[in-house]
Amino acid sequence: MMQVPNGDMSRNDDSIWWRDISNNNLLDDFVDSGFTGCFLSCCKNGKNILFWHSLWLGDQSLRERYPDVFDLSTIKNCAVADVLVWNNGKRHWALEALFNGGAAIALSHGTAAVLPTGAAMVLANGAATSTAFAAARGLPSWARFCDDLNAYTPVELEEDSFMWRINSEKEFSVRSVSNIVNGFKSFVWPSHLINLLKVMWELKIPPKIKVFTWRFFIGKIPSIDELLKRGVSSIINKDCVFCGNHPEVISHLFFNCHVVKEIWNQMYGWVGIKEVLNGVEFLDYGVLQDKVKNVNHRVKINIIWIAIIWCIRIMRNSIIFKGEVFCYDVVCSNIIFLSWRWLSFDYPKFNATYYEWFKLPLSCSNAI
């Protein structure tokens, strides 16, 4: 079994692929698109097991076994430990926390305690039970739901453990992940998207850029509208950080915002491909593959295109999290520099200087 030290589902001697998949799997972004169903979870203190989504009570998640209770819950992505209250080694399920956002919790034994999150507690004989909690307790499946929970015995001072359930050895392997992806991607993604992803994965760019671009293509970038869909309610400003007069959605943030359009227009002019495709076509990664026939030019333009969306994202995050001010010249300079650096580091035949790349990006080096 894979042990979980200090909130990390991996050990130092585990493969980097296992660490990445298992740790990301506990993030909200990955609940519906990750590998949660591939893990068998042995719940001890419950700190690293998702209450609704992980397989810790049999071979079905609580979300699947009790969809009616799950639908009424207002906390969808909590850990098992978030609804456990320990008192002198004994545990109590504080289930009301699942239905009122954790603002108040009623304990069945009638005494008050303080959760690690500092949530206020309400006595069971009080009147402050939420409407959702009352509705859940009236469901026909509620008794079975409680029986399943009460039949399980967590251990407060022991770490959770996990097994990879996909192969018979119960050991993680990259091949097993590949089999999963190959078996399901054709049902999840249309063929044209799969073809674009193949083109992207073949490019020699840094791994984190590939992961970002992959998430961009499949619509998993955590833009404000996506965060709101996932229940993140603490966002104050929901507008685009560049123009300030349109809700932040992926299409607007990367393509339709008038500020971003200026970046695309500048890069389109810099690349110098007006005889091949127009400015609108330049925005479409798929059209690039069809219209740019020269292989060396196509590779360069693909890398430039990815550098554009990456630098737009970086500037957006810098404004939100660092308080920086938008600078058009900084974004354009970063695009030119990063695309040149990626080509210089990973394409041995590319030997253009930065000055040559800056002046004539497609003509400065014919070899890739």
Side-chain angles (χ1 to χ4, degrees):
M1 286 193 176
M2 303 285 185
Q3 297 299 322
V4 184
N6 301 320
D8 187 347
M9 285 183 64
S10 58
R11 303 177 308 206
N12 292 333
D13 58 346
D14 288 333
S15 76
I16 58 173
W17 305 107
W18 167 260
R19 291 201 300 267
D20 187 54
I21 289 175
S22 58
N23 291 334
N24 280 337
N25 201 66
L26 292 178
L27 302 178
D28 289 356
D29 288 353
F30 285 79
V31 164
D32 291 316
S33 62
F35 294 88
T36 306
C38 300
F39 295 103
L40 288 175
S41 307
C42 180
C43 181
K44 296 299 183 179
N45 59 26
K47 293 181 180 179
N48 295 290
I49 294 177
L50 297 174
F51 180 85
W52 290 113
H53 306 282
S54 296
L55 301 182
W56 64 283
L57 284 175
D59 58 359
Q60 260 190 321
S61 66
L62 289 175
R63 170 188 178 179
E64 295 169 320
R65 191 179 302 171
Y66 300 103
D68 48 353
V69 181
F70 174 77
D71 287 342
L72 286 174
S73 67
T74 57
I75 302 297
K76 306 291 190 184
N77 296 320
C78 60
V80 173
D82 294 333
V83 288
L84 274 176
V85 177
W86 294 92
N87 185 10
N88 295 325
K90 296 181 178 180
R91 61 109 175 101
H92 302 278
W93 293 105
L95 297 181
E96 189 173 348
L98 296 168
F99 303 92
N100 59 16
I105 299 174
L107 298 182
S108 59
H109 58 287
T111 58
V114 179
L115 284 176
T117 57
M121 307 297 290
V122 177
L123 298 181
N125 57 5
T129 56
S130 70
T131 302
F133 185 45
R137 289 190 298 177
L139 293 171
S141 60
W142 180 256
R144 288 187 290 108
F145 175 70
C146 293
D147 287 343
D148 277 353
L149 293 176
N150 289 327
Y152 202 86
T153 307
V155 182
E156 182 179 12
L157 301 180
E158 292 187 22
E159 303 287 351
D160 304 319
S161 60
F162 302 83
M163 283 194 301
W164 184 247
R165 67 193 293 253
I166 299 306
N167 49 35
S168 58
E169 297 82 11
K170 306 302 182 191
E171 290 289 336
F172 173 80
S173 70
V174 175
R175 179 181 293 276
S176 64
V177 176
S178 178
N179 290 338
I180 295 171
V181 173
N182 290 333
F184 287 97
K185 66 183 179 183
S186 60
F187 298 99
V188 178
W189 301 325
S191 58
H192 75 274
L193 175 56
I194 294 175
N195 291 333
L196 292 184
L197 291 172
K198 287 180 180 178
V199 171
M200 183 273 294
W201 285 114
E202 289 175 357
L203 294 175
K204 297 177 182 178
I205 54 179
K208 72 174 183 179
I209 307 300
K210 285 189 177 183
V211 172
F212 163 78
T213 310
W214 168 65
R215 297 192 69 190
F216 174 85
F217 279 138
I218 65 174
K220 291 297 182 179
I221 297 296
S223 55
I224 289 176
D225 68 315
E226 289 297 320
L227 294 175
L228 291 173
K229 290 177 185 177
R230 297 168 191 168
V232 179
S233 59
S234 59
I235 300 174
I236 299 175
N237 184 4
K238 301 176 177 61
D239 292 331
C240 169
V241 298
F242 297 136
C243 68
N245 57 17
H246 191 284
E248 184 188 277
V249 297
I250 291 179
S251 59
H252 176 84
L253 180 65
F254 288 97
F255 300 111
N256 298 331
C257 173
H258 71 85
V259 177
V260 170
K261 282 184 177 179
E262 287 301 315
I263 297 173
W264 283 103
N265 290 336
Q266 177 69 17
M267 292 299 98
Y268 172 69
W270 168 64
V271 172
I273 49 175
K274 293 182 179 179
E275 71 283 357
V276 180
L277 69 169
N278 60 43
V280 175
E281 293 171 328
F282 182 61
L283 298 174
D284 193 320
Y285 194 77
V287 172
L288 296 178
Q289 315 314 312
D290 295 332
K291 287 208 166 187
V292 181
K293 304 302 181 182
N294 184 297
V295 176
N296 287 330
H297 287 181
R298 189 165 63 244
V299 170
K300 292 175 184 176
I301 295 172
N302 285 340
I303 289 177
I304 292 169
W305 198 95
I306 290 173
I308 293 173
I309 62 170
W310 172 254
C311 290
I312 290 172
R313 178 67 177 178
I314 292 299
M315 176 54 73
R316 177 261 191 194
N317 288 349
S318 296
I319 294 172
I320 293 177
F321 301 113
K322 298 180 181 179
E324 295 185 9
V325 178
F326 174 80
C327 182
Y328 173 83
D329 291 335
V330 168
V331 178
C332 292
S333 297
N334 286 343
I335 292 167
I336 296 172
F337 174 73
L338 281 179
S339 56
W340 169 78
R341 187 174 69 172
W342 295 343
L343 285 162
S344 299
F345 284 4
D346 296 314
Y347 289 85
K349 294 182 180 180
F350 181 84
N351 55 11
T353 65
Y354 176 73
Y355 178 78
E356 292 171 331
W357 177 250
F358 179 82
K359 288 294 184 181
L360 297 168
L362 297 187
S363 304
C364 64
S365 177
N366 291 324
I368 290 291

